[in-house]
Amino acid sequence: MEKYEVIVIGSGPGGYVAAIRAAQLGKKTAIIEKYSTMGGTCLNVGCIPSKALLDSSEHYYNVTKSISEHGITVKDIKVDFSKMIERKGEVVKANTSGIEYLMKKNKITSYQGVASFENTNTVNIALATGENTSIQGDKIIIATGSKPTQLPFLQIDKKRIITSTEALSLPTLPKSLIVIGGGVIGLELGSVYARLGAEVTVIEYLDRIIPGMDDDLGKELQRILKKQGFKFNLQHKVTSAIADDDKVVVKASNKKGEEQSFEAEYCLVAVGRRPYTEGLGLEKIGITTNQAGQIPVDEYLETTVKGIYAIGDVIQGAMLAHKASEEGVFVAEVIAGQKPHINYRLIPGVVYTWPEVAGVGYTERELKETGREYKTGSFPFRALGRSRASGDIDGSVKIIADKVTDEVLGVHIIGARAADLIAEGVVALEYRASAEDIARMSHAHPTYAEAIKEACLAATDNRAIHN
Ligand code: FAD
Ligand code: NAI
């Protein structure tokens, strides 16, 4: 039987990064992936294809809505939807084959097949070829990810009632789409189709969208997406969805308890994701998942079984690619005897709508709950020279700082390039900067980043220069 120092199950951003780091640290490493391509949810049916479609649809939207303001006239604009989907496929392929190359480069042995535990150091692989093999590992890392959460009363037929996976590969451009869930997936994929002309109706259970983020961001995003044609139905409880050949009818009760009916070509169910451990044989090694389906781990991300670790979406915490990757590096380094560290408070969250939304650190809601005294400083993008030049004037930056010490506690951005700008917030929080520290640092002009400096000035005795 082939023996390895480290076996990784699952090749998503958690698993493949763990394998590379383990190999870098000199460990004989194997990775097992059940699908024919590497990269997991993120590269195949998540982060990458959704961003490819977001970028394509944004080009179209800008050409139709705002390019004339720049003195450019474009005639006969058409969407070639199958070409858009084809390009998305090529982007995915370039990324997934990049991971295969990285496995070879780092001398990691790849197995294609379904892994299941035989015992605490032996993994059986039902190979894609139809054969079975078993391998042994000193340490085993479970990185099997997650799958969409289903509503118990609602049958996902994958034709009319769909998950994000089908929404990334629709056969034709829809004219209308109902989205159940006003979270990240619903608003990102809703944006793709709204920009391409579909009527998008969001049905959300709570009284706000993107509920995990600072409340101000959700309010502002809702206002802007409404301008882009989104229809929002908050505080609505979905009760049924019935599909026929060419449409779906969704019923939901509003906050007064009145039944509302919605009809569209497709219904995207995006109400969260659930850890995936099916067929892994956890019961054979005595690991029990918790109520949320997560594998319990300690501070070293070790499960209740010594030598078996778990990372990424399959454990607690944000279901984000960069969180999974940080944990991949962390576990490989723990296994190699190092003392790594992850500050979970500083995992940034991003929504790739337009404008983008990004946040790191505490939200105001969280600080109010803990009773910590804080102050805020905000700066609107419309007051920035860079924003006026590009025309991207929506949104603002909000800095939350400790009322007494001025330490930056949270950075919350909605606006152009927020996804990239948030990195400055992460650095500020990691090094425990004060708002005044950031306010006194030179930010290149004209840039969107100046809004962060100005918001820090606003948080420091209300002394923003341009507002
Ligand atoms: P996964 O990426 O889910 O990988 C797990 C892998 O394990 C899969 O390939 C699976 O086939 C394999 N596997 C499972 N069981 C077995 C088994 N028994 N044997 C062998 N292999 C097995 N996050 C971001 O940070 N940014 C984004 O922009 C973003 N966009 C997203 C968009 C969408 C539409 C979706 C659905 C998700 C998005 N995410 C995003 C979330 C991100 O994809 C996940 O957080 C991330 O992929 C989790 O990584 P992971 O390694 O834990 O698991
Ligand atoms: P989500 O947790 O972001 O949003 C789900 C939404 O559905 C919430 O607003 C919730 O209140 C609502 N909801 C729950 N039950 C409902 C019901 N019965 N009826 C109506 N609304 C209901 O989950 P989502 O969008 O499915 O995404 C799953 C995960 O994927 C997220 O945890 C996210 O971290 C990750 N992801 C990350 C992205 C990014 O980083 N840009 C992009 C897409 C996904």
Side-chain angles (χ1 to χ4, degrees):
M1 192 186 301
E2 199 66 43
K3 288 188 178 151
Y4 297 91
E5 288 171 285
V6 177
I7 296 175
V8 182
I9 305 176
S11 73
Y16 84 75
V17 170
I20 291 174
R21 188 70 188 121
Q24 282 176 346
L25 291 164
K27 301 288 175 194
K28 185 184 176 196
T29 305
I31 190 163
I32 311 164
E33 170 54 58
K34 69 175 178 177
Y35 288 130
S36 58
T37 53
M38 293 259 170
T41 304
C42 178
L43 275 71
N44 290 283
V45 289
C47 327
I48 299 301
S50 59
K51 267 80 248 176
L53 290 182
L54 277 158
D55 282 331
S56 298
S57 59
E58 193 185 315
H59 284 306
Y60 174 75
Y61 188 79
N62 288 342
V63 171
T64 52
K65 300 287 176 196
S66 61
I67 207 156
S68 59
E69 288 164 21
H70 293 264
I72 302 167
T73 310
V74 184
K75 283 193 184 142
D76 300 330
I77 310 156
K78 276 201 281 268
V79 176
D80 183 344
F81 188 60
S82 42
K83 168 81 187 147
M84 210 177 264
I85 296 286
E86 193 185 309
R87 177 187 177 273
K88 177 219 66 174
E90 284 159 11
V91 171
V92 167
K93 194 162 186 298
N95 278 277
T96 56
S97 32
I99 306 300
E100 275 143 38
Y101 159 78
L102 288 174
M103 293 302 110
K104 287 197 187 103
K105 182 183 163 215
N106 286 284
K107 303 193 172 41
I108 297 161
T109 308
S110 304
Y111 292 90
Q112 193 203 328
V114 178
S116 62
F117 283 97
E118 273 175 29
N119 57 48
T120 54
N121 57 11
T122 312
V123 177
N124 175 271
I125 311 170
L127 293 165
T129 54
E131 291 146 290
N132 258 277
T133 190
S134 291
I135 58 175
Q136 264 184 18
D138 297 337
K139 310 282 179 192
I140 300 172
I141 303 172
I142 305 171
T144 48
S146 62
K147 289 271 180 259
T149 302
Q150 307 226 359
L151 294 171
F153 52 86
L154 203 151
Q155 174 86 30
I156 307 250
D157 63 12
K158 298 193 178 185
K159 290 192 180 82
R160 293 283 153 196
I161 305 177
I162 58 177
T163 69
S164 53
T165 301
E166 294 75 49
L168 289 165
S169 296
L170 288 179
T172 54
L173 185 57
K175 291 193 180 64
S176 54
L177 172 72
I178 292 167
V179 178
I180 304 181
V184 203
I185 291 182
L187 300 182
E188 287 188 3
L189 294 179
S191 287
V192 167
Y193 293 108
R195 291 166 186 176
L196 298 177
E199 186 176 285
V200 175
T201 305
V202 176
I203 306 177
E204 165 62 49
Y205 182 70
L206 296 178
D207 60 353
R208 58 194 192 278
I209 59 168
I210 46 167
M213 303 196 83
D214 192 84
D215 291 355
D216 285 350
L217 299 181
K219 275 185 218 147
E220 182 66 358
L221 182 63
Q222 190 180 340
R223 190 187 67 77
I224 296 167
L225 289 181
K226 263 190 192 164
K227 283 201 291 183
Q228 291 174 19
F230 271 70
K231 293 199 170 77
F232 287 99
N233 301 277
L234 305 183
Q235 290 178 284
H236 275 62
K237 190 173 181 328
V238 175
T239 49
S240 73
I242 312 267
D244 61 25
D245 282 350
D246 51 11
K247 67 172 188 325
V248 188
V249 175
V250 175
K251 298 230 158 99
S253 55
N254 66 15
K255 66 174 173 185
K256 291 183 196 145
E258 298 157 348
E259 188 177 81
Q260 310 285 307
S261 188
F262 304 89
E263 191 180 301
E265 271 182 46
Y266 292 95
C267 170
L268 165 63
V269 182
V271 293
R273 293 178 62 87
R274 225 185 130 71
Y276 181 73
T277 53
E278 230 174 270
L280 202 51
L282 290 181
E283 62 291 345
K284 284 204 190 135
I285 53 169
I287 292 180
T288 316
T289 54
N290 65 18
Q291 262 199 328
Q294 298 156 337
I295 297 177
V297 289
D298 65 13
E299 70 266 40
Y300 301 105
L301 306 185
E302 197 166 19
T303 65
T304 47
V305 177
K306 208 169 161 33
I308 301 184
Y309 298 80
I311 58 172
D313 281 9
V314 82
I315 65 167
Q316 80 244 353
M319 287 182 155
L320 295 173
H322 42 288
K323 179 258 193 187
S325 297
E326 291 304 327
E327 291 178 338
V329 169
F330 178 96
V331 160
E333 292 182 352
V334 165
I335 289 171
Q338 299 187 355
K339 291 191 166 51
H341 168 76
I342 298 176
N343 186 345
Y344 282 97
R345 177 60 65 185
L346 302 191
I347 304 283
V350 174
V351 190
Y352 294 82
T353 44
W354 194 261
E356 291 171 342
V357 184
V360 66
Y362 291 94
T363 62
E364 283 200 61
R365 185 185 281 265
E366 285 169 332
L367 290 172
K368 277 181 191 136
E369 275 163 14
T370 58
R372 183 157 178 187
E373 286 201 297
Y374 66 90
K375 56 183 180 169
T376 62
S378 296
F379 190 81
F381 279 101
R382 65 179 58 247
L384 275 189
R386 185 73 191 87
S387 295
R388 290 204 201 102
S390 69
D392 292 312
I393 52 171
D394 279 328
S396 60
V397 174
K398 180 167 79 178
I399 300 292
I400 306 177
D402 186 276
K403 191 158 189 182
V404 180
T405 65
D406 196 37
E407 179 178 347
V408 179
L409 301 175
V411 178
H412 305 283
I413 309 174
I414 175 165
R417 318 254 171 99
D420 296 294
L421 292 177
I422 201 63
E424 182 175 3
V426 177
V427 174
L429 269 85
E430 185 67 57
Y431 286 93
R432 301 191 62 180
S434 66
E436 189 172 0
D437 287 334
I438 309 294
R440 287 189 180 278
M441 287 177 194
S442 175
H443 286 62
H445 175 75
T447 57
Y448 298 108
E450 285 175 290
I452 297 182
K453 178 187 169 94
E454 291 272 9
C456 285
L457 279 166
T460 314
D461 302 328
N462 201 17
R463 56 191 177 92
I465 302 284
H466 293 93
N467 193 32

